[in-house]
């Protein structure tokens, strides 16, 4: 939990929930964004997803989108217990898959008054269709068979099957987003001991059946901001979220930015836009 400079328990503050990427932890991009938003006058919270990092939950390393969305709603619950939070001025934002989860949570969590996605990814769509949208139905069905085999093996005493979020090594022909993801997560640039780059393979069954964005046209009534890099392979997913929205929305494209550069390198540009968006949509007078 990050508090603004000059914080007073006697005042009421707007709050921002910051949701980390798949495989991330609160000490990485989410925590850095939460710190920056606190410096702009918002009470901000970044947390580890259930089953990951310092949060509880068994089995460890399970990454289920349904749990991730519920985590966001529980963060809203927590904020409402704090006497210095204005319950009518709570916003949510997330990075990568966290952006998709924040947007999905806002579909049915109307205590979230405005929502933003930074390089947002629909975890279900990306699992089914791949990072750039080229996967076939045949490959999806094959993954289901592999998950079934892994669950049977685990049920019969074998070690649970774990897979990497990002490549542990950079190989020829690897998509530039994943080259940079390796650089962020597996080096000193953004790596953290609690982010071990491993998830339970069987968790992908939930992701195959999940849709972050499909109900946006009907259910997303809150203002939406999507920030994408012009060079990001994931850009199409963020654009899809904006296209689906039938209410107040904005797509902010950072020229020359990649998917990962919005995590750190381009943070100043993104924070400026976030402050503008949440200030307007949480009805904050910056001059008070």
């Amino acid at each position: 939990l990050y508090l603004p400079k000059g914080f007073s328990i006697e005042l009421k503050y707007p709050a921002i929930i910051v949701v980390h990427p798949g495989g991330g932890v609160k000490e990485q991009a989410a925590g850095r964004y939460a710190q920056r938003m606190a410096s702009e006058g918002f009470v901000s919270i970044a947390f580890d997803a259930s089953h990951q990092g310092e949060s509880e939950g068994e089995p460890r390393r399970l990454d289920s989108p349904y749990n991730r969305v519920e985590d966001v709603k529980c963060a809203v619950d927590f904020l409402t217990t704090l006497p210095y939070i204005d319950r009518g001025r709570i916003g949510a934002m997330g990075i990568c898959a966290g952006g998709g989860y924040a947007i999905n949570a806002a579909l049915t969590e109307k205590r979230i008054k405005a929502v933003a996605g930074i390089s947002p990814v629909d975890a279900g769509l990306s699992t089914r269709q791949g990072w750039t949208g080229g996967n076939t139905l045949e490959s999806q069905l094959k993954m289901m068979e592999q998950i079934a085999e892994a669950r049977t093996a685990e049920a019969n005493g074998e070690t649970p099957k774990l897979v990497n979020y990002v490549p542990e090594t950079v190989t020829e022909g690897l998509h530039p987003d994943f080259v940079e993801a390796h650089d962020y997560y597996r080096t000193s640039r953004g790596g953290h001991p609690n982010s071990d780059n491993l998830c339970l393979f069987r968790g992908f069954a939930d992701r195959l059946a999940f849709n972050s964005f499909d109900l946006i046209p009907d259910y997303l009534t809150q203002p939406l901001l999507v920030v994408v890099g012009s060079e990001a392979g994931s850009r199409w997913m963020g654009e899809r979220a904006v296209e689906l929205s039938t209410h107040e929305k904005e797509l902010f494209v950072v020229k020359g930015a990649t998917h990962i550069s919005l995590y750190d390198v381009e943070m100043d540009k993104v924070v400026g836009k976030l402050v503008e968006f949440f200030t307007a949509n949480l009805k904050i007078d910056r001059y008070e």
Side-chain angles (χ1 to χ4, degrees):
L1 188 70
Y2 298 92
L3 303 175
K5 184 178 180 180
F7 170 80
S8 170
I9 198 169
E10 303 299 325
L11 300 178
K12 293 285 188 179
Y13 292 88
I16 305 292
I17 297 161
V18 187
V19 188
H20 68 65
V25 290
K26 64 186 181 300
E27 291 84 3
Q28 296 170 318
R32 292 191 62 194
Y33 270 105
Q35 287 178 301
R36 290 292 300 273
M37 296 305 290
S39 73
E40 296 288 344
F42 302 86
V43 171
S44 302
I45 183 170
F47 56 91
D48 287 333
S50 299
H51 305 267
Q52 302 171 39
E54 292 184 311
S55 286
E56 296 180 354
E58 297 290 342
R60 302 306 297 166
R61 302 189 181 97
L62 176 65
D63 191 355
S64 167
Y66 303 101
N67 293 344
R68 295 290 312 267
V69 171
E70 180 63 17
D71 286 343
V72 180
K73 297 180 180 184
C74 289
V76 179
D77 291 340
F78 171 70
L79 289 172
T80 67
T81 70
L82 303 177
Y84 46 84
I85 297 299
D86 185 334
R87 296 179 181 178
R89 295 192 294 170
I90 296 175
M93 57 168 283
I95 304 102
C96 191
Y101 296 137
I103 293 168
N104 187 268
L107 299 180
T108 54
E109 179 51 89
K110 296 310 177 184
R111 293 176 297 177
I112 295 174
K113 302 304 182 183
V115 64
I118 313 304
S119 296
V121 166
D122 182 330
L125 191 62
S126 64
T127 301
R128 289 187 297 275
Q129 296 189 18
W131 192 250
T132 56
N135 281 9
T136 64
L137 176 59
E138 182 181 8
S139 68
Q140 297 167 42
L141 295 172
K142 182 178 179 181
M143 179 183 285
M144 294 176 198
E145 294 290 346
Q146 293 169 337
I147 292 168
E149 292 171 5
R151 286 193 67 118
T152 296
E154 184 178 342
N156 284 273
E158 293 187 24
T159 302
K161 182 177 180 179
L162 298 171
V163 294
N164 297 130
Y165 282 99
V166 303
E168 281 289 336
T169 58
V170 174
T171 57
E172 185 177 354
L174 189 64
H175 191 283
D177 283 350
F178 290 103
V179 173
E180 193 174 9
H182 170 86
D183 183 56
Y184 181 83
Y185 283 108
R186 308 313 294 158
T187 73
S188 59
R189 174 179 171 184
H192 189 275
N194 289 348
S195 175
D196 62 6
N197 196 34
L198 293 170
C199 65
L200 276 175
F201 180 59
R202 63 181 171 94
F204 282 89
D206 284 348
R207 292 176 60 159
L208 283 164
F210 181 76
N211 293 286
S212 286
F213 300 153
D214 281 8
L215 290 174
I216 285 177
D218 295 328
Y219 286 177
L220 187 65
T221 55
Q222 303 96 314
L224 168 68
L225 170 67
V226 166
V227 183
V228 296
S230 64
E231 307 308 307
S234 61
R235 177 177 173 174
W236 64 283
M237 283 182 276
E239 291 175 334
R240 181 172 184 269
V242 174
E243 289 168 2
L244 288 171
S245 176
T246 57
H247 290 77
E248 186 176 344
K249 59 187 179 180
E250 181 177 0
L251 177 70
F252 183 69
V253 180
V254 181
K255 187 175 180 180
T258 62
H259 179 91
I260 297 291
S261 71
L262 298 187
Y263 290 31
D264 53 1
V265 177
E266 305 285 359
M267 184 174 286
D268 287 346
K269 295 176 185 176
V270 181
V271 168
K273 190 63 184 179
L274 289 168
V275 170
E276 175 188 307
F277 171 76
F278 283 117
T279 296
N281 290 294
L282 298 183
K283 297 180 173 60
I284 302 161
D285 187 345
R286 303 291 295 177
Y287 300 98
E288 284 187 354

